[in-house]
Structure formats: C-alpha cells, structure tokens
C-alpha cells in the first residue's frame, strides 16, 4: 500500500461512443450511478470507478459526452492526470470528441491514450481510416505520440492491451509532491446515515488524514475530518491523485455545493477578480472586450466579464492578457488552468491560465500592469515576489503571500531571505512575518521624518509627537511597516522616543529668554520646598509670563521627568521623590515593613494634607501596599 501510485484517469469523447461501457469493462463498475442514467442509458453527471493494476491505483472519472452536459464534464476534468480519449470506430470523430480534446489541451492534461471502441462493428480497413483521422486530430498536441488501441467491450478484444498501455502511461506520470497545500475541489455533497456530511472530489494537491481540521471555501467554515474513503475502502490518509470521499463534522451537507473547495485551513483567499492569459480556439469567433463568458475551473463555474488588457478584441487562435471579473468567488492559485465557454450559445471557445488571483483594477492601457503580469507569468520566484512587493507598498504578510502564490512557508521564507540579502526587500517583523519592498520602506521612513519635522515646526514648545499621531500624519502605514521604519530611524540616531513621544534626536526645546527664566524659577521653587510643596497655581503665579505658557513649561518639566506629578495639584521635584524613597527604605531596615499614616507623618515631617497623597503615590509606584490601616513596605 505504501508504494502505491495514485493517478486519476478521465474519459473524454462524444456521446454513445462507449465511454461508460469501457470503464465498466475495465473496472467492473458501471459508472452511471443515477437512476435516470440507468433508465435512459446515457451519462448525465460524473461517474466514478476504481482499478488496481500492480502498483498503480487508478481513479476513473467518467464524464458525460452529451453537449448539454459539457459543464458536468468540465467539473470532472480538473485534476485528471491521464485522459482516455474514446472514439467509436463506427462513427469516428464527432463534435464532442473535438470539444473534449480541446478542453484537455487547455487544462494542460499532460498525458493520455486513445481507445477506438466498438472495434467489433467495423472491418480492418475502416479501423485503419479511423486511426488516420485520430492521428490528424492529435497532431502537434500532448496526444501526438499516445497509443491508439482498438477495443471492444462486447468481445473483450484489446482490453488487455489497453490495460498494459494504461500502466505504461501511469508509470510515466510524475510523482506528486504531497507537501503542497491540501486542496480538494468538491463535486458532490451528500448525507449518509450515521455519518453525516460527506463531500467527494478529486484530491488535486497535498494530503489529508482523519482528525485534520480543514476549511470549506469560500464559506470559510472550519470542519473536522471524521473519516476518509477512496475506491470504496475506508482509509486513514488520502493523497493527491486519489478520488476521495471525506466525512466532515461541523456542517450540513446542504450548505455545500459543487464548486466549493475543501482546503487547508486559513490558506486560501477566494477571489472574484483574476488576471489571466487567455487563448481562443481557432474555431472560436472573435471575442470583444467586456464580453461575458462561462468560466470553469476545478469543479467550479461562474460567469465572467472578460476585460481584454491588450487591444479591443481577441481573434480566434490568439492569446492575450485579460482580467476576468466573476459573479461568484472561486478558489484559484496562479498557474491554475480554466476553460471559457461562450455565453450563448454555450460552446467552448478557449481557455487560459491564472496569473494573479488577487487582481486589482487597472486601466486597459496600463503598461506597468502588463509588465507586472508578464513578470508574474514567466519570472523566477524572486522576480515574482519582488514584483508583488513593489505592487503592494503596504507590505505583505506571510499569509498574504501564501494566498497569492500557494507557496509553502519554507519557500516563502527562502525567497524573502534571498531578496532581503540583496536589499530588494526589507523584513519588517516576525509576528506576524511581514515584508515590504526596500522602496516602500524607504518611503515610509522619509514620510515619518517629514512628519516629525513638521510637528516640531508647528509646536516648538512641545517635546515631541505622540507615536499614534505620527502614524496618522505619515499616511497610516500598516503597523509592522510603521514600527520597523521608526525603529530604523531610532537605530540610525535620527530620531528618539521617550514616554511615547517621538522627536528629532538631540532636539532641545527652544525657549525664549523669559521662558527659560520662568522654567528655572519653577524648578527652584519645587526643589526648595522639599516635601511640603506649595500649590501649582501659587508657583505659576510667581513667574513673569502668561499663564498658558507657564502651564506648558510645567508640562515640559513633568514630561522630562524633572518634576513628578504626585496628585492633582501636588507636584514634587525629582530629587525630593528620590529622598522620600530612601527614607522609606531606611525605615524598613531599621523599624520593619509596616508603617501607619501617623508614623509616616512623623518620619517624613509632613501634615496629613501631604501624607495621604504621598502614600497613595507610593502605593501606585509599588513602593508600599495598603493593608487595612497600615502600609506594607514592599
Ligand atoms: N457493439 C458494441 N457496442 C458497444 C461497445 N461499447 C459500447 N457499446 C454500446 O454503445 C452504446 C453507448 O455506450 P455508452 O458506454 O453508454 O457510451 P457513452 O455515452 O460514451 O458513455 C451502448 O448501447 C453500448 O452497449 C462495443 O465495444 N461494441
Ligand atoms: Mg457515458
């Protein structure tokens, strides 16, 4: 079981060409599971079956061939590793043979094989002709060298050869990296007796095990994984490449629909605006800017408005950058493939690949936006992250980078470290891990410096600007950017901060000669008063300057720490407070750690008027603690 390789194989082809019959012949399971399908003998929705061949587990997704059910086909086509293109030997290539084949090309399905079914109905010559037509269809595509195997479900001819070829193709498919973020586009949601909600889908990335916490997107609902099934068997852990049924606790099945995604919690960020590169089929009509189209990705579908970013229209067979605005949110990552179908009549017209899942609005002639998208499209990880940082002057957290790129934390940190090493970006902090472009950081630094200078010019008597005001005046950078830029200015010795006030480093408050004299007088008054201080108004009344200026000078002295506000209207000199602390310490040594108001009055030589506010001040300073009528000296 441990070395088992898991691959998803999907059928494709025109209706009645024998897809479902072939799946049953190979696996023993009739994939037409609905009552209506059985009655009418046609596939309407996706069907599933399993096959073990040696070390390979095949999860089969059987799709409907009828043109009316192409949207169901699309919901199943996501996550296919190998396509089994089915062409009936008696009918050869038909419209949905082509449409399904084109869809597989747009989805970037890497490999496949072709089954010529119903070989029992034709002679060898016809078989040869059909083979030629198939070869012409797939020329130049991923199926160019794929095996073309004649089979008959009726006689069993060719089935063993087909199995051998399947195994060969499966062996050539690359092993999946199970460390990627878990993602399972949901194609069904139902309730089972005794178990509750079950969702099924093709596990396209990562892995999941019982008891994991996961999230249903875009609902943002956390659920717990209670059980897992694959191929009808209960399993402990499901991995990418498996058809998976997940029994989830914490949500009713009716809240979940096809198109939603079960994914790793807190990782994805559903979006309605994507920048993409789209390509039109050579058979498609001209596409005009702002045309509407049906968008299909994973098991999801939405209606898209197509904003062409290069020119007013897109000709058949051509490709161009385009922004898609969707009518509902989808979970996508860069490099995800999608299909576009004409709004009406509904036919497949092309497909594309997601470049930026968090697209912003841009003007259609915005050359910079185009450059940005081209970098995201073809640049290295470093190029991509540098471009993102530049486009986001507010900076990016690890979560934001993850949601936009789908990278793992290690990959993000590694790329950030490389860019920080060449001074292209700046790491702002660890909690949360945040970074910004070097340019954005420098800009913020300058904005802060400018705001500080402006504040000093406007408020010569104030020592500095409160930190929060500074942030507001410097265009409100995000906390992490603000803190890092400020810390950098402090480290560089350009500014200093004390008591929550930021000022230009080494700045002395400019006082007029009268103000300087007044300041000296105020200090002296309090210094000489000792513990029995005069009232503030009495002191301020003695100076020769106007009352509000005198008040400001008093505030400066308190902020500087020269004076200490002990209570309303009780201001002491710093030295007096220090002496008081010494006095208390000495008392404790000589007479123990208890003191009453009476003894304090005696020891300090003050009346009750001073004793009470002083003791309360000492309580606040944690020098003493009040216990009943006494104080404990701490
Ligand atoms: N003679 C013959 N008939 C077949 C073969 N495979 C399928 N059929 C018939 O073709 C019809 C359509 O088959 P089905 O599997 O439903 O086609 P699908 O729409 O592609 O899934 C059914 O009546 C089958 O019995 C075959 O190998 N030989
Ligand atoms: Mg069928």
């Amino acid at each position: 079981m441990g070395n088992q390789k898991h691959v998803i194989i999907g059928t494709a082809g025109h209706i009645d060409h024998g897809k479902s019959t072939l799946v049953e012949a190979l696996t023993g399971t009739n994939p037409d599971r609905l009552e209506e399908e059985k009655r009418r003998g046609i596939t309407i929705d996706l069907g599933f079956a399993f096959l073990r061949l040696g070390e390979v587990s095949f999860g089969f997704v059987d799709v409907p061939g009828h043109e009316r059910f192409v949207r169901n086909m699309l919901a199943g086509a996501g996550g296919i590793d190998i396509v089994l293109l089915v062409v009936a030997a008696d009918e050869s290539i038909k419209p949905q043979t082509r449409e399904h084949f084109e869809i597989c090309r747009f989805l970037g399905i890497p490999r496949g094989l072709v089954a010529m079914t119903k070989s029992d109905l034709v002679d060898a010559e016809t078989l040869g002709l059909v083979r030629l037509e198939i070869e012409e269809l797939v020329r130049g595509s991923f199926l160019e060298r794929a095996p073309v195997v004649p089979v008959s479900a009726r006689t069993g001819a060719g089935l063993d050869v087909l199995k051998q070829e399947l195994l060969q193709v499966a062996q050539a498919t690359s092993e999946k990296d199970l460390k990627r973020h878990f993602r399972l586009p949901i194609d069904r949601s139902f309730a089972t007796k005794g178990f509750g909600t079950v969702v099924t889908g093709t596990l396209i990335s990562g892995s999941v095990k019982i008891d994991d916490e996961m999230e249903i997107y875009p609902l943002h609902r956390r659920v717990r994984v209670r059980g897992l099934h694959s191929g009808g068997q209960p399993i402990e852990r499901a991995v990418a490449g498996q058809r998976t049924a997940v029994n989830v606790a914490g949500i009713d099945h009716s809240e979940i629909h096809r198109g939603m995604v079960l994914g790793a919690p807190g990782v994805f960020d559903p979006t309605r605006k994507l920048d993409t590169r789209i390509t039109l089929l050579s058979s498609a009509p001209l596409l005009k800017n702002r045309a509407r189209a049906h968008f299909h990705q994973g098991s999801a579908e939405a209606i898209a408005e197509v904003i062409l970013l290069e020119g007013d229209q897109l000709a058949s067979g051509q490709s161009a950058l385009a922004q898609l605005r969707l009518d509902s949110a989808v979970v996508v990552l860069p490099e995800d493939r999608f299909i576009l179908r004409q709004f009406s009549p509904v036919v497949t017209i092309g497909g594309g690949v997601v470049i930026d899942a968090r697209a912003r609005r841009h003007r259609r002639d915005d050359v910079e936006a185009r450059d940005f998208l081209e970098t995201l499209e073809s640049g290295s990880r470093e190029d991509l992250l540098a471009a993102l940082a530049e486009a986001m002057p507010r900076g990016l957290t690890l979560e934001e980078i993850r949601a936009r790129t789908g990278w793992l934390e290690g990959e993000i940190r590694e790329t950030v470290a490389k860019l920080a090493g060449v001074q292209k970006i700046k790491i702002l902090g660890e909690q949360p891990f945040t970074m910004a472009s070097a340019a954005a950081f420098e800009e913020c630094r300058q904005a802060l410096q400018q705001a500080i200078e402006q504040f000093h010019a406007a408020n010569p008597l104030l020592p500095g600007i409160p930190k929060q005001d500074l942030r507001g005046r410097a265009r409100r950078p995000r906390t992490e950017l603000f803190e890092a830029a400020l810390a950098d200015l402090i480290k560089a010795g350009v500014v200093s901060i004390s008591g929550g006030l930021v000022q230009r480093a080494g700045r002395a408050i400019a006082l007029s000669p009268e103000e300087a004299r007044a300041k000296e007088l105020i200090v002296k008054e309090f210094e000489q008063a000792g513990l029995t201080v005069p009232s503030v108004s009495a002191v301020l009344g003695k100076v020769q300057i106007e009352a509000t200026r005198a008040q400001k000078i008093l505030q400066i002295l308190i902020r500087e720490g020269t004076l200490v506000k002990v209570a309303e209207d009780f201001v002491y000199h710093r030295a007096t407070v220090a002496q008081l602390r010494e006095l208390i310490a000495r008392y404790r040594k000589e007479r123990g750690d208890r003191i009453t108001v009476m003894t304090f009055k005696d020891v300090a030589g003050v009346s009750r008027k001073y004793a009470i506010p002083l003791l309360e001040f000492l309580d606040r300073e944690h020098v003493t603690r009040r216990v009943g009528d006494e104080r404990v000296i701490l």
Side-chain angles (χ1 to χ4, degrees), residues 20 32 43 62-63:
S20 301
D32 285 339
T43 308
D62 182 43
V63 305

Side-chain angles (χ1 to χ4, degrees), residues 577-616:
V577 174
Q579 282 160 15
L580 179 67
R581 283 174 181 268
E582 269 170 41
L583 188 77
I584 297 291
R586 206 160 49 236
Y587 176 94
R588 188 179 193 280
K589 236 206 235 140
E590 289 165 6
R591 299 171 59 180
D593 65 354
R594 301 268 159 161
I595 190 165
T596 61
V597 179
M598 282 294 286
T599 30
F600 179 76
K601 275 167 59 185
D602 271 0
V603 172
V606 293
S607 66
R608 193 175 173 85
K609 174 180 136 188
Y610 294 105
I612 299 296
L614 280 170
L615 280 169
E616 281 170 358

Side-chain angles (χ1 to χ4, degrees), residues 333-349:
L333 289 176
E335 292 180 40
D336 279 352
R337 306 289 191 117
F338 57 85
I339 298 295
L340 289 177
R341 306 191 79 215
Q342 187 167 272
F343 192 69
S344 171
V346 187
V347 287
T348 301
I349 50 169

Side-chain angles (χ1 to χ4, degrees), residues 54-220:
E55 296 290 274
V56 184
S57 274
F58 292 92
F60 275 80
V61 179
D62 182 43
V63 305
H66 195 288
E67 61 176 314
R68 272 185 45 217
F69 305 128
V70 175
R71 49 189 291 228
N72 290 341
M73 178 272 173
L74 281 161
I80 289 179
D81 301 304
I82 298 170
V83 61
L84 178 59
L85 182 63
V86 168
V87 182
D90 61 336
E91 287 200 336
S92 195
I93 289 158
K94 300 287 265 185
Q96 268 66 53
T97 320
R98 284 182 199 285
E99 187 171 15
H100 286 192
F101 168 63
E102 296 294 358
I103 285 169
C104 293
R105 290 181 85 169
F106 278 124
L107 291 179
I109 294 173
R111 301 193 162 67
L113 26 72
V114 186
M116 282 194 287
T117 49
K118 308 195 191 184
S119 64
D120 56 286
L121 294 182
V122 299
D123 56 22
E125 196 185 333
T126 314
L127 215 52
L129 278 174
V130 173
R131 181 186 287 273
L132 283 178
E133 286 185 16
I134 291 170
E135 280 169 5
E136 194 188 314
L137 174 74
V138 302
R139 189 167 302 140
S141 80
F142 71 105
L143 284 181
E144 172 142 28
R145 269 170 240 296
V148 179
V149 186
V151 294
S152 167
R154 182 151 302 168
T155 67
L159 289 178
D160 286 336
V161 180
L162 186 62
K163 281 186 184 172
Q164 283 317 305
E165 295 288 3
L166 269 179
L167 205 51
Q168 290 245 318
V169 179
Q171 266 144 10
T173 63
S174 45
E175 208 69 63
K176 293 182 185 76
D177 178 1
L178 301 184
K179 290 203 229 35
R180 314 290 337 159
H181 301 297
F182 167 70
R183 190 153 58 129
L184 182 127
I186 294 168
D187 46 43
R188 282 184 302 159
S189 165
F190 50 88
T192 53
K193 266 215 186 75
F195 287 105
T197 304
V198 174
V199 296
T200 69
T202 299
L203 208 172
I204 59 168
S205 156
S207 68
V208 60
K209 53 184 195 328
I210 291 174
D211 275 342
D212 278 350
E213 188 190 50
M214 292 298 172
E215 186 166 336
I216 306 266
Y217 296 91
L219 295 180
H220 290 301

Side-chain angles (χ1 to χ4, degrees), residues 45 60 65 108 111 116 163 187 222 249 298 341 344 347 368 371 402 455 473 498 508 531 560 622:
D45 204 348
F60 275 80
R111 301 193 162 67
M116 282 194 287
K163 281 186 184 172
D187 46 43
R222 297 287 169 103
R341 306 191 79 215
S344 171
V347 287
E368 249 176 64
D371 285 351
R402 188 168 59 189
F455 181 84
R473 286 186 200 211
S498 79
L531 283 170
E560 278 177 7
H622 304 293

